[in-house]
């Protein structure tokens, strides 16, 4: 089915306005990305205004109609770049102002004499440049690498870049070789591609925002609200995956932690101080066992860590370091809380067997109870015949 240019422009305007409306509406349900979504919605609306201005560009004298509509369209692309860049907080205000000034100067200098050349070819160069920068911004954004929609955003903007690069650099030679009808066909193809771009890119960016939101909610559901480390659910879900993935390879170790006399701390210093003690312990433990260990608050003053590989082999030393560092740090009045607080630790190590995580934690708990019965502030190894003091 053949569609005339007017219909294609109207389709592009309609899809862009719908995309702008949907994106603006979405900002109400994603407050953390409200600014990004509002910028993107403004970009789509600006592109729609630019496409509408194209329909009347011949009604203005000289090259004014073409210049104004082109600059509006370019502003829409720059706003989309701003929106994508705002995912990582990078502004492009000076670049945008400079590019618009350069393009305006080109229209002023060459527009009156070479209006068609500037409109058909030269104006495609900044659009290709901005689209390439949009793709690059999304490609190098570290916070979005885990989301499938990111790759699609990069692909869409890269294809758009390639399309306008061909239009700017190759199309003039093709038109010179095959005549003006090719230019009319290229204009229709541009609008077809633009209509697809105006639908697919906004929907993909919305999907990206939703994926990010879903990831945030999942992360919060697995995070302890006080200490900001993993919670009990995350410990068992992630720990099970690690054990199953590793099979019989290397060592596995579980450390069970419990604050000594924690009720007495709450009664004497108040619950706020008790919360500060728990947060301080989480910070110390994370700093010692490292970012790769599965460290979680299981509830109350109970914590656990799952270690594997080299860390599991030296888990006894790591546990002892946690106990000593925590006791020293918490009692330091200059950089700590200035109160006496200690932790008891039970350790269960496994070389060639892979018990259920719940069973492994239960084994570590038995060693932990033995440590507490011996006065606390120490580490006990499950099934060990000697006592290891960590203080």
């Amino acid at each position: 089915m053949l569609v005339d240019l007017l219909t294609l422009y109207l389709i592009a305007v309609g899809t862009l306005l719908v995309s702008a409306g949907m994106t603006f509406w979405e900002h109400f349900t994603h407050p953390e990305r409200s600014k990004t979504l509002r910028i993107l919605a403004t970009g789509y609306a600006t592109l729609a205004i630019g496409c509408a201005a194209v329909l009347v560009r011949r009604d203005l004298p000289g090259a004014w109609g073409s210049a104004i509509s082109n600059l509006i369209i370019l502003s829409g692309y720059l706003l989309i770049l701003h929106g994508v860049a705002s995912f990582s907080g990078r502004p492009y205000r000076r670049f945008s102002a400079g590019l618009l000034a350069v393009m305006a100067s080109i229209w002023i200098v060459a527009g009156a004499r070479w209006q068609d050349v500037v409109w058909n070819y030269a104006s495609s160069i900044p659009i290709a440049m901005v689209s390439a920068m949009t793709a690059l911004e999304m490609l190098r954004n570290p916070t979005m690498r885990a989301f499938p929609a990111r790759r699609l955003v990069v692909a869409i903007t890269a294809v758009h870049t390639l399309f306008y690069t061909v239009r700017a650099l190759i199309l003039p030679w093709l038109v010179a070789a095959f005549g003006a009808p090719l230019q009319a066909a290229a204009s229709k193809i541009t609008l077809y591609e633009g209509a697809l771009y105006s639908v697919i890119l906004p929907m993909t960016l919305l999907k990206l925002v939703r994926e990010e939101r879903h990831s945030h909610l999942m992360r919060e559901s697995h995070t302890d609200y006080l200490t900001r480390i993993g919670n009990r659910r995350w410990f068992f879900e992630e720990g099970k995956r690690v054990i199953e993935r590793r099979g019989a390879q290397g060592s596995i170790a579980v450390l069970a932690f419990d604050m000594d006399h924690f009720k007495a701390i709450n009664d004497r210093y108040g619950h706020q101080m008790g919360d500060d003690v728990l947060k301080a312990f989480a910070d110390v433990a994370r700093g010692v066992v490292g970012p790769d260990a599965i460290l979680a608050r299981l509830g109350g003053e109970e914590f656990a860590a799952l270690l594997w590989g080299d860390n599991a082999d030296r888990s006894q030393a790591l546990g002892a370091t946690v106990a000593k560092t925590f006791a020293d740090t918490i009692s330091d009045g200059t950089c700590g809380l200035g109160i006496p607080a200690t932790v008891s630790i039970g350790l269960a190590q496994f070389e060639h067997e892979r018990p259920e995580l719940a069973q492994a934690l239960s084994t570590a708990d038995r060693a932990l109870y033995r440590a507490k019965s011996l006065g606390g502030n120490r580490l006990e190894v499950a099934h060990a015949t000697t006592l290891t003091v960590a203080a």
Side-chain angles (χ1 to χ4, degrees), residues 273-325:
M273 181 63 76
D275 288 347
D276 290 341
V277 168
L278 295 176
K279 288 189 285 187
F281 174 78
D283 291 342
V284 168
R286 174 55 73 198
V288 173
V289 301
D292 295 331
I294 298 177
L295 175 68
R297 181 188 178 197
L298 302 185
E301 66 272 26
E302 300 175 8
F303 296 78
L306 174 65
L307 309 174
W308 57 91
D310 293 339
N311 282 343
D313 293 335
R314 57 193 187 98
S315 56
Q316 187 170 350
L318 290 174
T321 302
V322 170
K324 185 177 188 309
T325 304

Side-chain angles (χ1 to χ4, degrees), residues 44-78:
Y44 305 146
T46 303
L47 281 176
I49 294 171
C51 289
V54 172
L55 299 176
V56 295
R57 68 186 180 96
R58 297 293 186 184
D59 296 335
L60 294 178
W64 284 104
S66 297
I68 291 171
S69 56
N70 173 238
L71 292 174
I72 294 173
I73 289 172
L74 180 57
S75 298
Y77 280 105
L78 287 168

Side-chain angles (χ1 to χ4, degrees), residues 100-118:
L100 286 170
V102 168
M103 199 63 215
S105 300
I106 291 173
W107 277 108
I108 292 171
V109 173
R113 185 174 181 182
W114 295 298
Q115 177 180 345
D116 289 340
V117 172
V118 177

Side-chain angles (χ1 to χ4, degrees), residues 244-267:
E244 290 177 349
R245 185 171 64 244
R246 292 189 61 81
Q249 298 176 359
S251 305
I252 290 286
V254 174
L255 289 163
F257 308 92
D258 191 276
M259 300 294 108
D260 295 325
H261 313 295
F262 188 69
K263 184 177 184 302
I265 293 174
N266 276 334
D267 292 342

Side-chain angles (χ1 to χ4, degrees), residues 10-73:
L10 292 176
I11 290 173
V13 170
T15 55
L16 285 165
L17 289 176
V18 170
S19 296
M22 291 180 63
T23 303
F24 182 78
W25 179 260
E26 198 82 8
H27 96 276
F28 292 110
T29 55
H30 298 282
E32 71 282 356
R33 288 300 183 190
S34 177
K35 178 182 178 181
T36 295
L37 292 169
R38 284 184 283 114
I39 293 173
L40 289 172
T42 305
Y44 305 146
T46 303
L47 281 176
I49 294 171
C51 289
V54 172
L55 299 176
V56 295
R57 68 186 180 96
R58 297 293 186 184
D59 296 335
L60 294 178
W64 284 104
S66 297
I68 291 171
S69 56
N70 173 238
L71 292 174
I72 294 173
I73 289 172

